[in-house]
Amino acid sequence: MKIALMDSGIGLLAATAAVRRLRPDADLVLSLDPDGMPWGPRTAEDLTARAVAVAEAAAEHRPDALIVGCNTATVHALPTLRALLEPALPVIGTVPAIKPAAAGGGHVAIWATPATTGSPYQRGLIRDFAAGVPVTEVPCWGLAEAVEHADEAAIDAAVAAAAELTPNDVTTVVLGCTHYELVAERIRVAVQRPGRPPLALHGSAGAVAAQALRRIGADARPEAASRGEVTVLLSGREGALPAPALAYAEGRLLTSDVPAPVADPR
């Protein structure tokens, strides 16, 4: 079995780790776009073109499924990617976990990038899956960029700023950007209020990984003893995981499977 994942940067690590835990024996293809990142500020047309190039680079390795490990790329490029690659290659998008978060009935905060916060896409998800539940949209200025570069001071500052915008009575936080899942516990500590019930965090990685297996009719086998190979593509070129990936447990999970990061010779 071979599963490909794509993103502009290391936000795909959360879903990659989830796939690795469900199927340690699966080969993985990680297709990143360092030449074109970040995707967030790009126009929808430009972002879609970058996403198609990254997806096609992954598809050349003949995976059984492709996970779009990026919320923004899912919003803008998923229909194009599916039209291009399916049914031969199932394409699984990443959607904020608003539906399961709202099922708890408490006040929900959705942490997302400023571009996604208040967008018709996110407002549509709230309307469809969180009707009747109090929801606060929280723009997280600079958090994805700080996580991408493993900038500890910038992560702390961005998390603290977003926590200040999060109401005290929030019971659940939706991590509406895949990068945020890499610092989930730091977000939990920042938002948890003294004397309040334990905060619930909802990311998408586990559900996306499980959906990828369902789409190809495969079972989870976390007990599998063998380790699948990992191939890293950097804007189509074979390479190594970016050094900041190793700052996170999800990246270190793969360190025995991929070459050590090296400096770009250019």
Side-chain angles (χ1 to χ4, degrees):
M1 182 193 306
K2 183 181 291 184
I3 304 293
L5 300 98
M6 58 171 281
D7 191 2
S8 63
I10 64 173
L12 53 66
L13 286 178
T16 302
V19 172
R20 177 57 95 207
R21 293 184 181 108
L22 290 176
R23 288 299 299 252
D25 57 334
D27 292 336
L28 302 173
V29 178
L30 311 185
S31 191
L32 288 70
D33 188 26
D35 293 355
M37 68 176 300
W39 283 350
R42 293 180 177 273
T43 65
E45 294 76 12
D46 193 17
L47 186 155
T48 297
R50 300 298 310 189
V52 165
V54 168
E56 288 181 331
E60 290 180 2
H61 290 255
R62 302 178 65 84
D64 298 295
L66 172 65
I67 293 172
V68 183
C70 172
N71 297 93
T72 303
T74 297
V75 171
H76 295 294
L78 186 62
T80 298
L81 294 175
R82 284 181 167 163
L84 179 67
L85 298 172
E86 292 189 342
L89 177 60
V91 182
I92 297 90
T94 300
V95 177
I98 294 173
K99 183 176 182 179
H107 190 165
V108 175
I110 304 173
W111 282 34
T113 63
T116 299
T117 300
S119 66
Y121 163 74
Q122 184 160 287
R123 292 282 170 88
L125 292 176
I126 294 169
R127 181 186 63 250
D128 293 342
F129 300 120
V133 174
V135 175
T136 298
E137 297 178 89
V138 178
C140 303
W141 297 94
L143 181 54
E145 294 81 1
V147 172
E148 178 68 31
H149 296 99
D151 185 330
E152 295 294 322
I155 292 170
D156 287 342
V159 168
E164 284 293 322
L165 299 175
T166 304
N168 288 336
D169 64 344
V170 157
T171 62
T172 306
V173 173
V174 174
L175 304 177
C177 171
T178 54
H179 280 79
Y180 302 170
E181 296 191 50
L182 301 179
V183 291
E185 289 310 308
R186 294 165 77 163
I187 292 172
R188 185 193 304 277
V189 169
V191 178
Q192 181 67 58
R193 310 303 187 196
R196 299 285 300 172
L199 187 74
L201 293 184
H202 285 268
S204 302
V208 166
Q211 176 66 2
L213 295 185
R214 283 194 293 270
R215 287 289 305 274
I216 62 176
D219 296 326
R221 296 179 184 170
E223 73 286 353
S226 61
R227 298 280 289 182
E229 295 181 355
V230 177
T231 300
V232 178
L233 304 175
L234 305 175
S235 299
R237 307 176 300 273
E238 287 203 30
L241 279 174
L246 305 185
Y248 305 103
E250 293 84 349
R252 294 191 295 274
L253 182 65
L254 305 174
T255 55
S256 62
D257 308 316
V258 298
V262 295
D264 190 326
R266 297 175 302 163

